[in-house]
Amino acid sequence: MKMANSRRLARAAGVAAAMLALGCALPAVAGNAAWTQVGYNSGHTGYNSTEKKITAKNAASLVSSGSFNTQGQIIDQPVIYKGMVYTRSGDGNLYAFNQKTGAIAWSIGNYASPIGPNWGMAAADDKLVVSCVTGDNTSGLCAYNAKSGKSLWIYGLTSGGGYSPPTIAGDTVYFLTSGAESGGSVNAQHLSAVNLKNGKEIWRIWYCDDYPTCEGFGGSPAVDNGVIYVGCSGVARYPVIQVVGVCAFTTGGSLLWQHQLGNDSSGNGTDGNGNLVAQNGRVYAAYETNCTQCNYSLDITALNGASGTAQWDTPIAGPFNGEAYFAGPPVLGPDGSTYEVIGEGGGDGYEQLFALNAKGSLRWKDGNSVAFAGTPTLVGKGKKGVLFFSCATGQGTGTTCAFDASKGSFLWESSDANDTPAYSPIVTGGVVYNSCGFNNICIYQAQ
């Protein structure tokens, strides 16, 4: 099925469907319902271990139960924290909604629209940390009181470029950005750490400064067991590095190891995009084995988190000589299984979903039954596991779809029309949250 089919639907129909829920009682959610950062946790695994209500047995009974409504496109994955739903809208506002009533608790007007698709937010310690544009029109991080919306601190670099979604681990915020070094001599990409409480910089390192051969960092930092994992590439004078792949750093900013992903004709790596997740002492990366347009395959690998040694490496699709790509990082199940979506940018609707077991062997794959938009979100274990996607089936409906994680069978599709969102749905407290009607966040609950 073609993703374009969904985009041809009348946007007004999706908005109308979502707006019908405004003012209605929203579904009851568990008291601990939360989704505090991109990919659920600091390792960005996309798996919510606390979700017990929605399973493969009742996913087909999900129905629309209300919505949180804005007047602009929702691009970032929202955050759910202490009874509030936070989202940024293309209408120029940052919103905080009451999770139970749907009412706006607070909003910040004239909030700059995201620059690129990789911005995001995270919440912890009663603070909401958001990628933002500072007063001098450069990129930065802004922190607010999560309950009141009061500004707490702003962090930014001179001539700062786009920021990755922030990752919160303990009392520290980790993120990627670009900006001028001290003295303005180098405009470099950085891995940075700031204090969550006051926004003060703890440390900042740049991977390479040898323009134009330097590429720098990629993805959003994944933190697990006191180690920071990030995509890295290019040539650096200090420290001397020539590699493309995964780099691991201590929480003090020291390089632990680097692992090459892919191989070009010169023996260098080929993919430092940072499509990776980390948990339980392992880091999992999705990457292209060779340069674009030259007979490449798409692989997933599992690395020892302490040493960078490959535990397994599995080609899941290819060879390609065109625009096939990973939709994002893999999703990691509680048993070490991984789930990944690949797409094709040529407009022919080619999408495939793959499931690998804990040793990297293929369990199942699904192709072309649904047009997936981005990577999934996983809840449940074993035969109860469910994968939720932003999707389009081409049947005139569908912004959110569910698949059985144990065997890859289709379970459910939402009934609202939509320009398909680019982020993964949120599933927490027995409720599914996803963009719908282009401007709103729809919620779905099992009957």
Side-chain angles (χ1 to χ4, degrees), residues 54-405:
I54 297 179
T55 68
K57 291 184 177 181
N58 63 16
S61 71
L62 287 162
V63 296
S64 179
S65 301
S67 64
F68 303 94
N69 306 308
T70 79
Q71 299 301 311
Q73 184 180 14
I74 297 171
I75 299 174
D76 306 330
Q77 188 180 70
V79 158
I80 298 176
Y81 178 70
K82 291 191 174 181
M84 304 272 268
V85 177
Y86 302 95
T87 189
R88 179 169 35 200
S89 171
D91 63 15
N93 293 296
L94 172 66
Y95 290 98
F97 291 98
N98 184 295
Q99 189 177 8
K100 292 183 179 180
T101 68
I104 297 174
W106 55 262
S107 65
I108 299 174
N110 298 317
Y111 206 87
S113 297
I115 301 176
N118 294 321
W119 286 32
M121 59 186 74
D125 193 27
D126 297 322
K127 297 173 180 63
L128 179 69
V129 181
V130 187
S131 304
C132 64
V133 173
T134 64
D136 56 358
N137 203 32
T138 60
S139 299
L141 282 183
C142 296
Y144 303 94
N145 180 289
K147 184 176 182 180
S148 67
K150 178 183 177 181
S151 177
L152 298 176
W153 51 260
I154 298 174
Y155 174 90
L157 296 177
T158 303
S159 303
Y163 279 45
S164 71
T167 300
I168 298 178
D171 57 1
T172 306
V173 185
Y174 303 95
F175 53 95
L176 304 180
T177 185
S178 61
E181 280 296 325
S182 57
S185 60
V186 178
N187 191 12
Q189 290 187 300
H190 302 86
L191 170 62
S192 301
V194 302
N195 186 291
L196 174 62
K197 181 178 180 180
N198 55 30
K200 291 184 178 180
E201 184 177 284
I202 301 171
W203 52 259
R204 172 165 47 97
I205 57 176
W206 68 99
Y207 184 73
C208 49
D209 58 4
D210 193 16
Y211 179 84
T213 61
C214 173
E215 294 182 33
F217 292 112
S220 182
V223 183
D224 175 59
N225 287 343
V227 181
I228 307 162
Y229 305 98
V230 67
C232 53
S233 58
V235 178
R237 295 185 184 132
Y238 177 79
V240 177
I241 300 172
Q242 185 170 356
V243 68
V244 178
V246 181
C247 287
F249 296 86
T250 69
T251 53
S254 300
L255 180 67
L256 279 177
W257 53 258
Q258 55 199 20
H259 180 89
Q260 180 173 309
L261 296 176
N263 190 36
D264 64 14
S265 59
S266 300
N268 297 316
T270 57
D271 196 334
N273 287 322
N275 282 326
L276 55 87
V277 299
Q279 186 165 279
N280 296 331
R282 277 193 176 184
V283 57
Y284 301 77
Y287 71 96
E288 295 183 9
T289 60
N290 211 329
C291 57
T292 303
Q293 304 288 342
C294 50
N295 204 37
Y296 63 93
S297 296
L298 299 175
D299 281 27
I300 297 177
T301 186
L303 310 177
N304 181 294
S307 65
T309 305
Q311 307 297 293
W312 52 260
D313 191 307
T314 302
I316 64 170
F320 298 105
N321 289 289
E323 297 179 322
Y325 61 91
F326 282 112
V331 167
L332 179 62
D335 59 353
S337 57
T338 53
Y339 305 87
E340 182 61 271
V341 171
I342 64 170
E344 198 277 325
D348 65 357
Y350 176 73
E351 284 92 17
Q352 283 191 302
L353 166 63
F354 295 83
L356 306 181
N357 65 23
K359 294 183 179 180
S361 299
L362 180 68
R363 288 174 52 199
W364 53 260
K365 67 178 179 179
D366 173 89
N368 287 325
S369 65
V370 167
F372 302 108
T375 55
T377 291
L378 174 65
V379 296
K381 296 180 179 180
K383 294 182 178 180
K384 294 183 178 181
V386 186
L387 295 164
F388 286 92
F389 295 86
S390 294
C391 66
T393 64
Q395 304 301 316
T397 58
T399 61
T400 309
C401 295
F403 276 65
D404 186 316

Side-chain angles (χ1 to χ4, degrees), residues 29-35 50 80-83 99 428-430 433:
V29 295
N32 63 345
W35 192 282
T50 69
I80 298 176
Y81 178 70
K82 291 191 174 181
Q99 189 177 8
T428 185
Y433 302 77

